[in-house]
């Protein structure tokens, strides 16, 4: 079945540090790849998505490249801010038999200190 | 914009009792609704995916007998947790999808505490 492996646990950074969150996926279908972000007390919300292999998604300074060769979709940001503190989820979206299913990674908690 | 409201936001029920939670899509037609449970460790488990006019598909470890879902129209869905026990605690999230789209719009969740 479909699966997403994401760097778990907590990442602690200082403002202006570089962010890298690892994500790899496994599927037999042609996926759409997403990063969702969840702030405290909120539901997850879409950060960025990429539907085509080798394309890059960019949003709010975050970026991720759909690398079909390494089946990866790592999230990066050059300079984090305290307001980026949240939980980040790598998500794999696949369609099988006409049914669409999003599969979440286990989430990575980002804490940014001022 | 596309908004999803869930209620109640928090609920406490006694062990062995049942509770119902609701999900309302505003500003778009929710052709499909995914119900998730989020653990205290922030992990998501997909409970079931419901598409209007299709059978509801439950994931392994979740059953209709335990988590009956109703999705009667394009703006509303509900799920009941029957005979809730401690292991059912968590944040239940409703994610709604527009037909042909892949982005999931989430509500803020219903937090279930079982005592």
């Amino acid at each position: 079945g479909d699966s997403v492996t994401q760097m778990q646990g907590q990442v602690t950074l200082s403002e202006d540090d570089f962010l890298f969150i690892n994500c790899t996926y496994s599927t037999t279908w042609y996926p759409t790849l997403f990063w969702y972000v969840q702030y405290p007390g909120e539901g997850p919300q879409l950060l960025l998505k990429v539907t085509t292999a080798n394309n890059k998604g960019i949003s709010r300074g975050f970026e991720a490249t759909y690398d079909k060769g390494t089946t990866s979709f790592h999230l990066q940001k050059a300079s984090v801010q305290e307001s980026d503190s949240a939980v980040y989820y790598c998500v794999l979206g696949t369609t099988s038999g006409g049914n669409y299913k999003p599969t979440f990674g286990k989430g990575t908690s980002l804490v940014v200190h001022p | 914009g596309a908004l999803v409201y869930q209620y109640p936001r928090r609920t406490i029920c006694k062990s062995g009792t049942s509770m119902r939670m609701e999900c309302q899509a505003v500003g778009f037609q929710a052709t499909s609704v995914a119900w998730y449970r989020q653990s205290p460790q922030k992990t998501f488990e997909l409970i079931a995916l419901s598409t209007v006019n299709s059978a509801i598909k439950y994931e392994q470890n979740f059953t209709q007998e335990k988590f009956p879902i109703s999705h009667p129209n394009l703006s509303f869905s509900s799920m009941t947790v029957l005979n809730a026990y401690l292991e059912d605690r968590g944040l239940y999230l409703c994610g709604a999808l527009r037909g042909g789209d892949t982005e999931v719009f989430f509500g803020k969740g219903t937090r279930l505490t079982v005592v």
Side-chain angles (χ1 to χ4, degrees), chain B residues 39-50:
Chain B
S39 70
Q41 294 73 34
K42 304 299 184 185
T43 305
F44 275 75
E45 293 178 280
L46 178 62
I47 297 169
L49 190 62
S50 168

Side-chain angles (χ1 to χ4, degrees), chain A residues 15-89:
Chain A
E15 278 197 325
D16 299 324
D17 281 352
F18 172 72
L19 170 70
F20 181 92
I21 300 178
N22 181 289
C23 173
T24 57
Y25 65 91
S26 174
T27 180
T28 54
W29 307 101
Y30 296 99
T32 298
L33 297 169
F34 308 80
W35 278 96
Y36 277 76
V37 57
Q38 185 177 24
Y39 298 101
E42 302 286 325
Q45 57 186 259
L46 180 67
L47 177 60
L48 55 86
K49 81 173 188 182
V50 179
T51 57
T52 306
N54 303 321
N55 279 11
K56 180 189 289 186
I58 301 174
S59 174
R60 303 187 236 168
F62 291 89
E63 62 178 60
T65 299
Y66 175 169
D67 189 328
K68 191 178 176 185
T70 59
T71 62
S72 66
F73 193 57
H74 310 313
L75 183 68
Q76 303 181 65
K77 187 176 185 183
S79 176
V80 294
Q81 303 303 306
E82 191 178 1
S83 57
D84 293 327
S85 297
V87 182
Y88 292 81
Y89 293 93

